[in-house]
Amino acid sequence: DYDETLAGSAGYFSNGRRGSVFVWLSQASLTSPVWVPRRLLGDDGTIDGYFAAFPYQRDNPGYMMTDEWFNEPRYWAARIRSDYSEDFDDLSRIGGHLLLSTTSRWGIDTEMSRLAEQLPGDGRDHLWLGDCNVVYRFAQGTWGQWRTGIGFNWLDDTIDTEYGFNFTYGFDFYPVKPLVFSTEFDWGTIGSAEAFHFRTTAGVLIHRFESYIGYEYRDIDRFHFNGLVAGVRIWF
């Protein structure tokens, strides 16, 4: 009886240990998009970051300044972009975007796009869509910044205007002058439909002007857009 009780206890603690490890691994995996960038940048959430006028200004090795002042520190920064996307079939998109950032880590991220479709014959159809989000820069350093936030989506066409929830996650990477790499994810709803958006770009900076190319994917219910994107971004 003693041996059976001991074996049962060992099995209980073994299963409990495996369960705890599984829970820990699950939590670590789910939260990795936050803690991994912070570890990479050495950001514990207490680091104050200030902005250059644009990435690589003068001797700045990246964009933000946390330890050394290579330029006059700025408490806010903005950037705007305009670009064109094409799926090389019957869909195209023209859009604009604004990101406003502050030293407090809080900011505004908003985008608007016009999508056009070539219909059979000479007809064309179009719609407008966009989002507006409050974002928080949870990881920051000289060569990279990560942000996430929530807001709302909207879509307007000839039939109706729909709204929905949006979650956004994005980052910018400055490996070496004059290169800039940017990636964004958006997930949410528009009306009763699920909406997903992904884009990634690689750009080259000349002073405060960036020219970039990349890839973009959108999925809204039964609507899919998959193509190349090219545009210009201005940093303030």
Side-chain angles (χ1 to χ4, degrees):
D1 293 341
Y2 175 80
D3 292 339
E4 292 178 358
T5 301
L6 183 62
S9 299
Y12 171 80
F13 286 113
S14 177
N15 291 334
R17 191 179 304 113
R18 286 197 296 269
S20 298
V21 171
F22 176 76
V23 170
W24 183 86
L25 290 175
S26 299
Q27 292 176 342
S29 177
L30 290 173
T31 59
S32 62
V34 174
W35 64 261
V36 169
R38 297 187 72 167
R39 288 285 183 88
L40 290 174
L41 295 174
D43 182 4
D44 61 1
T46 63
I47 298 175
D48 291 329
Y50 302 89
F51 300 93
F54 52 87
Y56 306 117
Q57 184 186 17
R58 297 195 181 100
D59 296 325
N60 194 11
Y63 184 34
M64 296 194 74
M65 297 174 288
T66 57
D67 297 320
E68 299 181 73
W69 308 136
F70 296 93
N71 305 277
E72 181 180 353
R74 301 165 72 240
Y75 291 87
W76 66 274
R79 68 192 201 201
I80 59 173
R81 73 172 186 238
S82 178
D83 52 34
Y84 175 80
S85 301
E86 174 72 58
D87 72 348
F88 299 102
D89 189 7
D90 55 2
L91 287 173
S92 62
R93 182 193 66 84
I94 298 175
H97 174 266
L98 167 67
L99 177 64
L100 177 64
S101 305
T102 66
T103 298
S104 69
R105 297 182 181 244
W106 292 97
I108 299 293
D109 176 10
T110 183
E111 180 179 10
M112 182 173 66
S113 298
R114 182 183 186 273
L115 282 85
E117 180 181 13
Q118 182 67 48
L119 301 176
D122 296 327
R124 290 182 67 84
D125 193 13
H126 71 273
L127 61 83
W128 292 87
L129 60 85
D131 61 51
C132 185
N133 310 283
V134 175
V135 294
Y136 182 76
R137 194 172 57 257
F138 63 87
Q140 63 183 20
T142 301
W143 56 267
Q145 292 88 48
W146 272 255
R147 64 187 179 276
T148 189
I150 58 173
F152 66 91
N153 291 312
W154 60 269
L155 183 151
D156 180 74
D157 59 16
T158 56
I159 299 175
D160 198 3
T161 301
E162 299 282 354
Y163 297 92
F165 166 82
N166 189 57
F167 167 81
T168 187
Y169 178 97
F171 62 88
D172 302 291
F173 178 49
Y174 316 93
V176 63
K177 185 178 183 178
L179 301 180
V180 178
F181 295 95
S182 300
T183 298
E184 301 171 14
F185 300 87
D186 292 285
W187 174 85
T189 61
I190 297 179
S192 59
E194 184 176 4
F196 176 78
H197 174 227
F198 167 79
R199 64 176 279 148
T200 185
T201 61
V204 175
L205 272 162
I206 301 178
H207 197 60
R208 65 176 70 246
F209 298 93
E210 176 194 354
S211 296
Y212 60 84
I213 60 173
Y215 168 78
E216 182 173 31
Y217 175 78
R218 291 180 182 271
D219 187 334
I220 305 173
D221 197 13
R222 290 173 293 179
F223 168 80
H224 305 282
F225 181 89
N226 181 45
L228 298 179
V229 58
V232 176
R233 182 159 53 183
I234 305 174
W235 302 70
F236 297 95

